[in-house]
């Protein structure tokens, strides 16, 4: 069978050299138009369950995660119902994360490369660009939020910095520019040091945030008095059990939607797992166990703000500001800076690095892809539109609505159509006889499924919010897009087969059954 790829012999790896995203095995015959050392299958997969656990800690422990968890307790439902919704939502995320993790862990390749088996070696650039643009925009937003924390530290310890709040440029005051620049450079430097440095950072950052969160909860509860702390943060009259069910379902959908971005490209990280079992253990610890504990801490802190400050504060930055103690402001401010940098690196820096590199591997390395996202995040001036609901709706709302269909198409392609079998070498070949060349490098079934189901998903996300008609529908846009993407692509492949039928005993095929690399 012709694949257009040479035999799987590998050149020796140069002593002391390493690719920033991990040393990939570039085999003779891999087309340079599709290949660089960052995108090639990894030579070694070394991440343990703890490394995956730490990844999810960095993703959960952020200002956005704090506000999201706290906001669920203000939906008008009982605390036990909120906890049930949190557990159900995060278990759904765990299942989906395991599904998207396997193809990348088995093959050692990142998310955009895995998509070549479904969309075609050139068609994979479509989901890569969409995911890269979403991550780039949120990279700017998260950096801006972290800059707000840093501003508090500057204003408390350098009183003269208040004068920098007056002059502004492009909608952001001078102090905001300084804080944004400090964090932009710090994140860029960490990213430039490579994936191993990032792994060490997130291994440390997650537990460090927990230490401060526990200390903050103990301080606030002690100051309020344990008897004065109520875990019921809802406002208004309690609602009936029947009326609470739709609210609980919306809370579940909110949790899944919050994690939908990093969940989609989780393969960028699961590829480093030493085994699929190790990745699943990390997901178990990092998602249901970690998220539930973090949510409880969040609720303790938020509920204690009512007796301590006389009002409910669900923003940790404002909580730290309200304490008004120099040490608390310094420790809290820097902690939430670290937490936001953590989620930014794992969710919004690494993803576009791989995605943009996938578009032009010869010209754009992993590092270059990441820096394109970093520069683009500034050009988007996120501070000007982050607080504008309409701007968010018609930009990130539209792009974000495509995450569901992309997820459904990938899962259908790998599990239902390909039966977990991937011809790894063919993902790096532009030979017309290669198995993932399809039609000119594009699988028409995948492209047209994305167009059709993406239109429905975008409509379900944008139209209800914009018109006020069936407003709850937008909460389920991810599920609508994911379900339609999976079913429509599966049906299209059954009606007009495009993906190759691979034999499990073919030595060039990974069948998803063997244990991972050592």
């Amino acid at each position: 069978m012709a694949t257009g790829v040479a035999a799987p012999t590998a050149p020796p790896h140069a002593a002391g050299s390493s690719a920033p995203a991990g040393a990939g095995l570039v085999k003779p015959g891999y087309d340079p138009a599709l290949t660089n050392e960052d995108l090639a299958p990894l030579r070694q997969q070394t991440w343990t369950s703890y490394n995956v656990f730490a990844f999810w800690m960095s993703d959960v422990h952020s200002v956005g995660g704090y506000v999201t968890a706290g906001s669920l307790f203000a939906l008008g439902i009982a605390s036990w119902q909120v906890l049930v919704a949190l557990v159900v939502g995060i278990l759904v995320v765990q299942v989906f994360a395991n599904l998207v993790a396997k193809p990348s862990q088995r093959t050692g390749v990142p998310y955009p490369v895995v998509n070549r088996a479904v969309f075609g070696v050139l068609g994979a650039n479509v989901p890569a660009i969409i995911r890269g643009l979403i991550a780039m925009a949120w990279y700017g937003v998260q950096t801006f939020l972290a800059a707000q924390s840093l501003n508090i530290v500057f204003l408390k310890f350098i009183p003269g910095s208040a004068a920098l709040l007056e002059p502004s440029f492009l909608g952001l005051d001078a102090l905001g520019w300084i804080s944004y620049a400090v964090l932009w450079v710090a994140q860029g430097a960490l990213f430039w040091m490579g994936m191993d440095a990032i792994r060490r950072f997130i291994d440390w950052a997650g537990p460090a945030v927990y230490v401060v969160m526990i200390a903050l909860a103990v301080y606030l509860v002690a100051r309020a008095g344990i008897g004065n702390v109520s875990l019921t943060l809802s406002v208004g009259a309690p609602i009936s059990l029947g009326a609470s069910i739709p609210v609980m379902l919306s809370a579940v959908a909110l949790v899944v939607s919050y994690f939908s971005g990093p969940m989609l490209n989780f393969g960028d990280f699961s590829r480093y797992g030493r085994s699929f079992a190790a990745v699943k253990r990390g997901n178990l610890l990092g998602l249901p166990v970690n998220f539930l504990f973090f949510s409880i801490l969040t609720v303790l802190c938020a509920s204690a703000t009512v007796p301590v400050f006389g009002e409910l504060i669900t923003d940790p930055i404002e909580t730290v500001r309200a304490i008004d103690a120099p040490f608390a402001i310094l420790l809290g401010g820097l902690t939430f800076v670290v937490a936001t940098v953590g989620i930014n690196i794992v969710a919004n820096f690494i993803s576009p690095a791989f995605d943009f590199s996938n578009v032009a591997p010869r010209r754009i390395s992993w590092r270059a892809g990441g820096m394109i996202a970093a520069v683009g995040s500034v050009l988007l001036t996120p501070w000007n539109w982050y607080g504008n609901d309409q701007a968010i709706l018609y930009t990130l709302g539209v792009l974000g609505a495509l995450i569901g269909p992309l997820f459904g198409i990938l899962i259908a392609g790998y599990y239902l159509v390909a039966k977990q079998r991937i011809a790894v070498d063919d993902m790096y070949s532009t030979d017309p006889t290669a198995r993932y060349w399809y039609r000119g490098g594009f699988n028409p079934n995948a492209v047209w499924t994305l167009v059709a189901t993406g239109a429905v998903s975008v409509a379900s996300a944008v139209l209800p919010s914009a018109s006020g008609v069936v407003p709850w529908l937008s909460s389920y846009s991810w599920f609508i897009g994911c379900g339609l993407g999976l079913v429509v692509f599966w049906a299209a492949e059954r009606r007009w087969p495009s993906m190759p039928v691979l034999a499990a005993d073919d030595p060039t095929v990974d069948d998803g059954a063997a244990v991972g690399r050592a």
Side-chain angles (χ1 to χ4, degrees):
M1 181 218 41
T3 64
V5 180
T9 57
H13 190 51
S17 66
S18 64
L25 178 60
V26 181
K27 297 181 182 179
Y30 279 11
D31 194 318
L34 298 174
T35 315
N36 59 35
E37 199 174 4
D38 305 317
L39 299 176
L42 290 172
R43 294 171 180 271
Q44 290 185 308
Q45 295 168 288
T46 59
W47 280 29
T48 64
S49 297
Y50 176 79
N51 299 134
V52 178
F53 170 40
F55 160 82
W56 287 117
M57 277 197 288
S58 291
D59 203 45
V60 170
H61 301 174
S62 66
V63 174
Y66 186 109
V67 173
T68 299
S71 66
L72 296 184
F73 284 81
L75 292 177
I77 55 179
S79 297
W80 70 267
Q81 293 172 314
V82 174
L83 289 176
V84 169
L86 285 171
V87 171
V88 172
I90 208 64
L91 286 174
V92 171
V93 173
Q94 181 193 4
V95 170
F96 287 156
N98 285 340
L99 288 174
V100 82
K102 189 170 187 178
S104 285
Q105 192 285 320
R106 289 295 314 132
T107 58
V109 304
Y111 165 75
V113 175
V114 162
N115 269 294
R116 294 175 183 177
V118 179
F119 280 84
V121 293
L122 300 182
N125 287 324
V126 175
I129 291 173
I130 292 171
R131 179 65 184 108
L133 290 176
I134 295 171
M136 182 172 68
W138 280 113
Y139 176 81
V141 168
Q142 293 284 4
T143 302
F144 170 63
L145 292 176
Q148 299 297 97
S149 296
L150 196 55
N151 281 351
I152 296 175
V153 175
F154 282 140
L155 291 170
K156 184 65 178 181
F157 294 95
I158 308 176
S161 61
L164 298 174
L165 296 174
E166 294 298 327
S168 65
F169 175 67
L170 294 178
L172 184 65
D173 58 66
L175 182 60
W177 273 107
I178 292 172
S179 296
Y180 193 96
V182 168
L183 292 168
W184 190 91
V185 171
Q187 291 174 115
L190 175 61
F191 172 80
W192 198 262
M193 292 169 66
M195 185 60 82
D196 197 51
I198 293 171
R199 178 189 58 78
R200 290 194 299 269
F201 174 79
I202 62 178
D203 283 352
W204 164 84
V209 173
Y210 257 139
V211 170
V212 176
M213 281 290 294
I214 292 171
L216 180 63
V218 170
Y219 168 79
L220 290 172
V221 171
R223 186 171 166 184
I226 188 66
N228 297 320
V229 176
S230 171
L231 297 183
T232 301
L233 303 180
S234 60
V235 294
I239 60 178
S240 66
L241 179 61
S244 68
I245 292 177
V247 180
M248 292 176 66
L249 292 176
S250 294
V252 171
L254 179 63
V255 172
V256 177
S257 296
Y258 178 77
F259 289 101
S260 62
M263 189 170 65
L264 176 65
N265 68 283
F266 181 55
D268 291 341
F269 300 89
S270 67
R271 70 184 296 225
Y272 297 99
R274 60 174 53 174
S275 68
F276 183 51
V279 173
K280 289 194 293 184
R281 283 193 299 270
N283 286 345
L284 173 64
L285 294 172
L287 287 167
V289 176
N290 171 58
F291 185 67
L292 186 58
F293 183 54
F294 180 78
S295 298
I296 292 172
L297 285 177
T298 296
V299 174
L300 281 174
C301 291
S303 57
T305 62
V306 177
V308 173
F309 304 117
E311 61 176 330
L312 175 64
I313 304 176
T314 59
D315 187 331
I317 297 175
E318 295 303 319
T319 301
V320 169
R321 191 199 304 268
I323 293 175
D324 199 31
F327 178 73
I329 289 178
L330 178 63
L331 183 61
L334 293 180
T335 296
F336 287 115
V337 165
V338 169
T340 307
V341 167
I343 188 175
N344 226 8
I345 289 289
V346 301
N348 302 318
F349 213 148
I350 290 174
S351 171
F354 283 121
D355 293 333
F356 294 149
S357 179
N358 189 74
V359 174
R362 281 184 290 194
R363 298 181 178 87
I364 304 176
S365 67
W366 183 76
R367 281 187 174 128
M371 297 317 295
I372 288 172
V375 172
S377 71
V378 180
L379 298 178
L380 290 174
T381 62
W383 49 85
N384 283 326
W385 50 264
Y386 175 63
N388 186 322
D389 291 340
Q390 292 301 307
I392 289 284
L393 178 64
Y394 289 110
T395 55
L396 289 178
V398 170
L399 287 173
L402 298 175
I403 291 179
L406 289 175
F407 191 95
I409 293 169
L410 176 59
I411 298 306
Y414 180 68
Y415 288 95
L416 302 181
V417 182
K419 308 298 184 184
Q420 303 185 47
R421 297 166 188 167
I422 292 182
V424 179
D425 292 344
D426 286 70
M427 293 192 292
Y428 299 91
S429 175
T430 54
D431 190 313
T433 63
R435 285 172 278 199
Y436 300 128
W437 181 246
Y438 298 116
R439 297 183 187 176
F442 292 79
N443 180 351
N445 287 338
V447 174
W448 285 113
T449 297
L450 177 60
V451 171
T453 61
V456 176
S457 184
V458 168
S460 68
V462 174
L463 295 182
S465 299
S467 64
V469 179
V470 200
W472 54 265
L473 187 63
S474 60
S475 301
Y476 303 99
S477 63
W478 186 91
F479 289 94
I480 293 171
C482 179
L484 285 176
L486 186 147
V487 172
V488 172
F489 180 70
W490 186 27
E493 282 290 332
R494 289 175 65 88
R495 179 65 178 83
W496 304 284
S498 290
M499 293 188 69
V501 178
L502 305 175
D505 58 355
D506 186 334
T508 67
V509 170
D510 180 278
D511 66 356
V515 296
R517 296 177 181 85

